[in-house]
C-alpha cells in the first residue's frame, strides 16, 4: 500500500473516532446544555424550588397583567404541551417582550408554583420581514419552542 | 489542486487575482452595506436594529468557512504533503479569527436592544466563542511550530480536530434550547423577506471575496518570507 493511502486511512479512522467521541459528549450534554427549561420539561417532576433556574417558552396570549404599582407584571409561559408556568417580574421588560412571542426568564420557583423572575430576556424567532408584510402573520405562529 | 503544487505557478495566478478579489469584494461590500443600512426595510419586530444582520451573518459564515478551509488544507497537508497547504491554512487563520470576533462583537451589540442582554452562555454563543479560542490557539501553535522550524504537522492535526466544532455551532440551535433563534437560511429556502435577504447575500459574497484577497495576500507574503529566509541561510553558509 502506498504511504499516501496509509495516511489517508489512518486519518479517516482518527476522524471517525473523534466524531464518535464528540457525538457521545453531545448526547451526554443533551439535557444539561439547554439554556432553559420549557414548561413541558418540568411537567410531572418536583419543581426545583429555591434554586436559580431559567425557564422559557411563548408568552401566552392574553395572559399579561400589569400590577397597580406600575412595575409588577404577571404572565403565563406556555409551550407546545398543555403545561404552563405562571411568572411574576418586578423590573423593566425588554422592548421585544410581547404576547405570543418568545421569552426566557431567570429566577426561582416559589413553593406554590409561581416563578419569580430576576431577569427577563426576549427571544425572537427566525423570521425577518418588513412591517407591512406582518399583517396577521405574527398572530398564528405557534411553532415548537426552541 | 496539484496544479498549484508549484509555488511559482500559484504565484503567477495569485498575483493578478488578488486585486480583482480585493476591489470586487470592496465594491460589493460597500454596495450591500449601503443597501442594507439605508434602503432595505426595517424589521416588523426589531425595527432598525435588524440592520446589523448585514455584518453579523456574513462574519459568522466566514468565521466558520475559514476553519472549514483550514481543515481541508490540513488534510491535504497531512495526506498528500501538498507544499502550499500549510501556507494556505496559516494564511486563513488570522482573517478567520477576525471575522469570528466581528461576529461575536456585532452579535453582542445586537443582543442588547433585542434580547435585552449583551451576552448569555447559550449553546450558539458559547460554541462560537470556542471557535474564536480555537483560532487563537491555532495561530499561536502555528507560530511556535514555525519558529522551531517544524513542518507544521501538529498544527495541521489541531486544524482537523478543531473542525469538530463546526457542526456543533451549526446544530447548536437545534440540539439545545438556546436564546439565539433557529436558522433563517437553509438549502431549501429562507425565512427572511426578499428585500432584506438579497443585500445580505450580496454582503456575504462581497466579504467572501475580501476574505479570499486577504488570504492570497498573506500566502504571497509567507512565500516571499520563506524565500528570503532560504536565501539568508544560503548566504550564511
Amino acid at each position: 500500500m502506498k504511504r499516501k493511502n496509509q495516511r489517508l486511512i489512518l486519518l479517516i479512522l482518527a476522524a471517525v473516532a473523534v466524531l464518535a467521541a464528540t457525538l457521545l459528549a453531545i448526547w451526554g450534554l443533551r439535557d444539561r446544555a439547554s439554556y432553559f427549561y420549557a414548561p413541558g420539561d418540568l411537567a410531572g417532576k418536583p419543581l426545583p424550588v429555591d434554586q436559580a433556574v431559567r425557564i422559557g417558552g411563548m408568552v401566552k396570549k392574553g395572559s399579561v397583567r400589569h400590577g397597580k404599582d406600575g412595575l409588577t407584571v404577571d404572565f403565563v409561559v406556555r409551550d407546545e404541551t398543555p403545561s404552563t408556568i405562571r411568572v411574576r417580574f418586578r423590573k423593566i421588560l425588554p422592548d421585544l417582550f410581547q404576547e405570543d412571542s418568545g421569552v426566557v426568564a431567570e429566577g426561582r420557583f416559589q413553593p406554590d408554583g409561581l416563578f419569580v423572575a430576576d431577569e427577563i430576556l426576549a427571544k425572537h424567532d427566525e423570521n425577518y420581514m418588513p412591517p407591512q408584510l406582518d399583517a396577521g402573520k405574527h398572530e398564528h405562529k405557534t411553532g415548537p419552542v426552541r | 489542486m496539484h496544479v498549484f503544487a508549484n509555488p511559482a505557478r500559484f504565484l503567477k495566478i495569485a498575483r493578478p487575482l488578488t486585486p480583482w478579489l480585493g476591489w470586487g469584494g470592496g465594491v460589493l461590500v460597500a454596495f450591500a452595506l449601503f443597501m442594507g443600512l439605508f434602503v432595505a426595510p426595517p424589521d416588523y419586530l426589531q425595527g432598525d436594529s435588524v440592520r446589523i444582520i448585514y455584518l453579523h451573518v456574513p462574519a459568522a459564515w466566514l468565521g466558520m468557512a475559514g476553519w472549514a478551509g483550514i481543515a481541508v488544507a490540513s488534510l491535504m497537508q497531512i495526506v498528500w504533503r501538498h507544499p502550499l497547504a500549510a501556507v494556505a491554512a496559516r494564511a486563513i487563520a488570522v482573517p478567520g479569527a477576525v471575522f469570528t470576533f466581528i461576529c461575536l462583537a456585532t452579535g453582542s451589540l445586537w443582543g442588547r436592544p433585542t434580547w435585552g442582554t449583551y451576552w448569555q452562555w447559550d449553546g450558539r454563543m458559547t460554541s462560537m466563542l470556542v471557535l474564536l479560542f480555537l483560532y487563537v490557539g491555532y495561530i499561536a501553535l502555528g507560530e511556535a511550530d514555525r519558529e522551531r522550524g517544524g513542518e507544521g504537522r501538529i498544527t495541521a492535526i489541531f486544524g482537523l480536530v478543531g473542525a469538530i466544532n463546526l457542526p456543533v455551532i451549526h446544530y447548536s440551535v437545534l440540539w439545545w434550547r438556546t436564546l439565539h433563534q433557529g436558522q433563517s437560511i437553509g438549502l431549501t429556502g429562507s425565512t427572511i423577506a426578499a428585500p432584506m435577504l438579497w443585500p445580505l447575500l450580496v454582503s456575504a459574497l462581497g466579504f467572501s471575496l475580501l476574505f479570499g484577497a486577504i488570504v492570497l495576500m498573506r500566502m504571497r507574503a509567507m512565500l516571499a518570507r520563506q524565500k528570503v529566509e532560504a536565501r539568508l541561510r544560503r548566504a550564511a553558509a
Side-chain angles (χ1 to χ4, degrees):
Chain A
M1 199 190 298
K2 274 163 71 181
R3 293 196 46 131
K4 187 164 62 176
N5 293 343
Q6 250 175 3
R7 289 198 297 261
L8 187 60
I9 289 167
L10 192 69
L11 212 65
I12 289 169
L13 287 179
V16 168
V18 171
L19 200 70
T22 311
L23 284 178
L24 273 177
I26 286 164
W27 188 252
L29 279 173
R30 253 189 99 71
D31 301 332
R32 324 196 103 243
S34 275
Y35 179 66
F36 58 85
Y37 294 113
D41 299 343
L42 298 170
K45 290 181 195 153
L47 285 178
V49 173
D50 260 348
Q51 191 187 328
V53 289
R54 273 190 222 104
I55 58 119
M58 306 294 272
V59 180
K60 193 176 171 188
K61 209 164 181 196
S63 74
V64 178
R65 301 266 178 279
H66 290 276
K68 285 205 180 87
D69 58 1
L71 202 56
T72 307
V73 58
D74 282 278
F75 59 94
V76 174
V77 170
R78 64 157 180 88
D79 60 3
E80 65 271 33
T81 71
S83 319
T84 56
I85 298 171
R86 291 179 295 125
V87 180
R88 177 166 295 163
F89 185 57
R90 284 204 184 84
K91 287 178 200 160
I92 296 164
L93 289 164
D95 289 349
L96 259 60
F97 176 88
Q98 58 182 36
E99 292 188 351
D100 224 17
S101 187
V103 70
V104 176
E106 203 173 322
R108 286 160 197 274
F109 277 104
Q110 304 303 303
D112 64 347
L114 178 73
F115 188 84
V116 176
D118 306 316
E119 192 179 11
I120 297 262
L121 301 175
K123 182 171 151 56
H124 64 84
D125 62 20
E126 63 277 16
N127 296 294
Y128 301 90
M129 59 190 128
Q132 63 271 26
L133 286 181
D134 175 39
K137 263 191 195 166
H138 191 240
E139 309 254 312
H140 306 300
K141 272 201 305 260
T142 50
V145 177
R146 289 230 192 273
Chain B
M1 270 299 125
H2 290 282
V3 178
F4 299 118
N6 180 349
R9 199 178 299 165
F10 164 79
L11 284 175
K12 223 168 127 188
I13 297 167
R15 211 171 285 136
L17 195 59
T18 311
W20 280 104
L21 289 182
W23 287 107
V27 168
L28 280 182
V29 164
F31 172 70
L33 288 186
F34 175 78
M35 293 307 287
L37 297 182
F38 300 106
V39 181
D43 182 59
Y44 76 105
L45 187 62
Q46 305 183 14
D48 281 326
S49 56
V50 78
R51 297 183 192 282
I52 204 162
I53 199 174
Y54 303 107
L55 193 52
H56 176 74
V57 169
W61 284 348
L62 284 168
M64 292 170 71
W67 199 284
I70 288 179
V72 170
S74 301
L75 183 77
M76 288 172 51
Q77 180 191 347
I78 293 177
V79 176
W80 291 283
R81 300 279 151 84
H82 194 295
L84 274 180
V87 177
R90 286 205 357 252
I92 292 170
V94 170
V98 169
F99 276 102
T100 304
F101 178 79
I102 292 173
C103 166
L104 287 164
T106 54
S108 179
L109 292 177
W110 194 4
R112 187 66 190 87
T114 52
W115 299 334
T117 179
Y118 286 111
W119 184 264
Q120 291 291 317
W121 295 97
D122 88 337
R124 176 53 71 80
M125 291 165 233
T126 308
S127 55
M128 203 65 193
L129 186 66
V130 167
L131 180 65
L132 180 66
F133 291 159
L134 285 176
Y135 269 121
V136 173
Y138 180 90
I139 293 167
L141 188 62
E143 286 300 314
D145 192 61
R146 205 189 66 81
E147 275 170 24
R148 285 181 41 182
E151 294 171 46
R153 195 96 42 92
I154 299 285
T155 323
I157 290 171
F158 185 63
L160 278 174
V161 173
I164 209 74
N165 191 35
L166 295 180
V168 175
I169 295 173
H170 182 79
Y171 289 108
S172 56
V173 290
L174 288 178
W175 288 339
W176 303 306
R177 301 188 191 287
T178 52
L179 181 59
H180 195 285
Q181 68 285 0
Q183 72 170 29
S184 295
I185 300 175
L187 291 176
T188 48
S190 111
T191 55
I192 303 178
M196 305 159 89
L197 179 63
W198 71 260
L200 176 61
L201 296 180
V202 175
S203 173
L205 178 66
F207 276 115
S208 304
L209 296 186
L210 273 184
F211 193 99
I214 295 167
V215 169
L216 287 185
M217 279 186 232
R218 283 179 52 79
M219 285 180 75
R220 285 167 57 194
M222 285 175 178
L223 289 173
R225 186 167 160 181
Q226 279 180 3
K227 216 182 209 170
V228 168
E229 282 171 359
R231 253 181 222 173
L232 284 175
R233 265 200 305 275
R234 244 178 297 151

